[in-house]
Amino acid sequence: MTVRTRFAPSPTGMLHIGGARTALFSWLYARHHGGQFLLRIEDTDRERSTDEARQVILDGLAWLGLDWDGDVVFQSQREAQHVAAVNRLLAEGKAYRCYCSKAELDALREAQRAAGVKPRYDGRCRHRTDQPEGVPHVIRFLSPDDGETLVRDLVLGDVRFANQELDDLILMRSDGTPTYNLAVVVDDAEMGITHVIRGSDHLNNTPRQMQLYRALDLPVPQFAHIPLIHGPDGAKMSKRHGAVAITDYRRTGYLPEAVINYLARLGWSHGDSEVFSRADLVRLFDIKDVGKTAARFDQQKLDWLNAHYLRAAEPEALQAEIASRLRAAAVEPSDGPQLEAVIAALQERSKGLDDLAESALMFYRAPEAYDEKAVAKHFGADAFALLQAFVDEAEQLEHWHAEHIHPVLHRVCEQADAKLGHLAQPIRVLVAGVPVSPPIDLTLALLGKAESLTRIRAGMARLRPA
């Protein structure tokens, strides 16, 4: 058997952390077994489905590197197959027309609640033989009343549902459109899906769908229901916990490798390891290793992983993202030091792409102001004499590289019996505006001789007491 999994989002909203994790687990399971991962867009809710949400889903999966096999399947284009399945069930006596009005159903539910009974459709139209013309109706599945439906879940284990608790679900609405439970069964069967991996919030749909598979003489796939993701406080994930569109993580400076690694660890583990490459995940992942309890979202761990992957990345691989951020800040990276070298100098100190790009601005734009606290702390009586001595010696340097700048800094400080920080920190403030940068010799080397000395002189003129 070739393993075939699928991800089947609805384009009625953005692709969030939970959906992305479901897609990842489905992708990993298929790739681990040398199988196929398919993508189906469940766009039958025509009023709420949007092109924007569909594009966010496609962009998010592409950014994460979750490639799918074959063409994208759009559920809205498969209505004829759904209708044919409903007609077959009707013809075989496994479904029936229900003419109950909304008012009648509301009254039924109200009476059941008053009697302390779980509200459910009571099957009153099951054995109607009349078919009144012009009366709106839905088509319901004739669900078995006796016995139970057993879901052998690959994550949760055996879950049993008493059939008498499962009422006759609607297969087709009064407007002639098929419902989710019918459409998903028909589509998964035709796509040859062998394993359905999805959130545990779908578990209650599974026994109904299993009954439909059997009624249509279709093979029943194996199911794996992943516990939901909660915030650090144990509550359901919300925007305050970080439940934003997956593309927002890209926009705010996260690397796809970090997000993939983090998503994989939300409910799945392999020993005590925290860092997994994509190849590691494909090799090691098994759906049976997914935990049965809700995973908790941990922003600090995601940030830690992002910093780890940022440090490990080749500077060249980060250039496009950093250049885009610099241009968004009205800075052209080609008008300054080589961007790859700047990135290499900043990687170790950065937590994310936004952080790195913010730090890189100083290499392409002179400071318009200086950090007041840093000025007060580092510009004492001797600072300007040290700075002038450095400028005088630096002007004579023929080669402007870190290994040539470094001894000049030390020599100036030794001659004045001063610590290196007494010179390095004022220089940082003058060239960067803040007292933080890569090593000062490297910072000056990247800026270049002319730009470095121009900034130092300009700063001295602005800050020197009258």
Side-chain angles (χ1 to χ4, degrees):
M1 179 187 69
T2 298
V3 168
R4 290 168 71 92
T5 66
R6 50 75 164 174
F7 180 51
S10 297
T12 55
M14 303 296 104
L15 176 63
H16 295 97
I17 280 287
R21 184 187 62 160
T22 297
L24 172 63
F25 283 8
S26 298
W27 183 87
L28 286 173
Y29 192 77
R31 297 294 181 248
H32 176 78
H33 289 282
Q36 294 181 315
F37 170 70
L38 308 182
L39 177 62
R40 181 174 71 239
I41 303 295
E42 299 194 334
D43 55 347
T44 52
D45 188 339
R46 294 165 188 171
E47 291 185 3
R48 297 176 59 223
S49 296
T50 67
D51 291 339
E52 178 190 9
R54 179 179 64 186
Q55 194 59 48
V56 167
I57 291 168
L58 298 177
D59 290 347
L61 293 176
W63 178 63
L64 292 171
L66 302 183
D67 57 321
W68 53 90
D69 298 293
D71 296 330
V72 180
V73 174
F74 293 93
Q75 196 169 63
S76 60
Q77 298 174 3
R78 295 183 38 74
E79 189 169 303
Q81 291 92 326
H82 305 151
V83 172
V86 173
N87 289 336
R88 174 185 166 184
L89 292 172
L90 273 173
E92 295 178 359
K94 298 173 182 177
Y96 61 92
R97 295 176 177 84
C98 173
Y99 295 89
C100 295
S101 65
K102 182 179 184 301
E104 188 176 355
L105 293 174
D106 288 343
L108 170 63
R109 284 190 287 269
E110 194 61 38
Q112 289 172 330
R113 290 192 189 97
V117 178
K118 178 182 176 182
R120 60 190 298 274
Y121 182 65
D122 61 1
R124 60 183 60 187
C125 286
R126 277 185 171 191
H127 304 297
R128 285 185 67 156
T129 55
D130 61 322
Q131 295 185 22
E133 292 186 11
V135 179
H137 65 276
V138 300
I139 297 176
R140 291 183 181 270
F141 177 60
L142 186 59
S143 178
D145 290 329
D146 301 324
E148 65 178 16
T149 298
L150 171 63
V151 179
R152 294 194 177 279
D153 195 272
L154 295 176
V155 173
L156 303 177
D158 288 356
V159 185
R160 300 176 185 275
F161 294 86
N163 288 336
Q164 63 180 2
E165 297 294 322
L166 305 174
D167 57 2
D168 296 348
L169 79 154
I170 296 174
L171 302 177
M172 186 176 287
R173 305 177 186 90
S174 58
D175 64 358
T177 58
T179 59
Y180 163 77
N181 279 302
L182 181 282
V184 74
V185 165
V186 173
D187 291 346
D188 279 346
E190 187 161 320
M191 293 169 71
I193 302 303
T194 61
H195 295 77
V196 174
I197 300 172
R198 57 191 181 187
S200 59
D201 51 335
H202 284 281
L203 180 60
N204 286 336
N205 290 323
T206 304
R208 302 173 183 276
Q209 292 171 9
M210 290 177 66
Q211 291 177 357
L212 281 173
Y213 278 108
R214 290 165 180 153
L216 289 165
D217 300 318
L218 299 172
V220 181
Q222 290 186 269
F223 291 93
H225 291 89
I226 308 166
L228 301 181
I229 303 171
H230 288 172
D233 56 0
K236 184 179 178 181
M237 271 293 277
S238 64
K239 287 186 177 180
R240 64 189 175 91
H241 297 125
V244 296
I246 202 70
T247 45
D248 286 341
Y249 287 94
R250 177 179 186 177
R251 181 179 56 80
T252 53
Y254 289 88
L255 297 174
E257 297 86 354
V259 176
I260 284 287
N261 191 154
Y262 182 69
L263 289 176
R265 286 287 289 110
L266 274 177
W268 173 85
S269 63
H270 182 77
D272 296 326
S273 300
E274 292 289 349
V275 178
F276 297 89
S277 68
R278 191 180 300 264
D280 290 336
L281 291 172
V282 170
R283 178 172 54 86
L284 297 171
F285 183 83
D286 194 323
I287 197 68
K288 295 176 183 178
D289 294 328
V290 173
K292 297 180 180 180
T293 58
R296 293 207 175 191
F297 186 83
D298 185 337
Q299 185 68 50
Q300 289 184 332
K301 184 173 287 187
L302 174 57
D303 291 344
W304 177 83
L305 280 168
N306 199 50
H308 167 82
Y309 281 100
L310 189 68
R311 290 192 298 270
E314 291 294 331
E316 183 180 4
L318 304 176
Q319 281 194 82
E321 290 283 359
I322 299 302
S324 173
R325 285 165 169 77
L326 291 176
R327 292 187 178 108
V331 167
E332 176 49 56
S334 60
D335 297 338
Q338 185 185 39
L339 184 55
E340 186 176 337
V342 170
I343 291 170
L346 294 170
Q347 278 177 274
E348 192 65 32
R349 297 168 175 265
S350 302
K351 297 179 181 178
L353 294 173
D354 280 1
D355 183 37
L356 198 158
E358 180 68 26
S359 298
L361 283 173
M362 62 152 287
F363 291 100
Y364 302 93
R365 186 167 64 196
E368 297 177 358
Y370 306 107
D371 184 283
E372 292 182 3
K373 290 183 179 179
V375 170
K377 180 177 180 180
H378 298 296
F379 283 79
D382 299 331
F384 291 95
L386 283 170
L387 287 166
Q388 187 60 56
F390 172 74
V391 169
D392 292 342
E393 288 214 27
E395 284 179 335
Q396 308 306 313
L397 275 180
E398 184 177 350
H399 301 290
W400 193 259
H401 303 292
E403 60 267 29
H404 301 109
I405 299 169
H406 187 80
V408 174
L409 292 164
H410 276 273
R411 187 162 57 250
V412 168
C413 290
E414 287 174 0
Q415 291 172 352
D417 195 22
K419 295 181 178 179
L420 181 61
H422 292 162
L423 175 58
Q425 289 304 87
I427 291 178
R428 278 196 175 92
V429 173
L430 297 183
V431 299
V434 293
V436 179
S437 79
I440 192 60
D441 50 4
L442 176 58
T443 297
L444 294 174
L446 288 170
L447 281 171
K449 181 177 180 179
E451 181 67 16
S452 295
L453 296 181
T454 296
R455 291 189 189 188
I456 293 172
R457 289 194 188 98
M460 291 171 63
R462 287 174 60 180
L463 296 179
R464 191 190 301 270

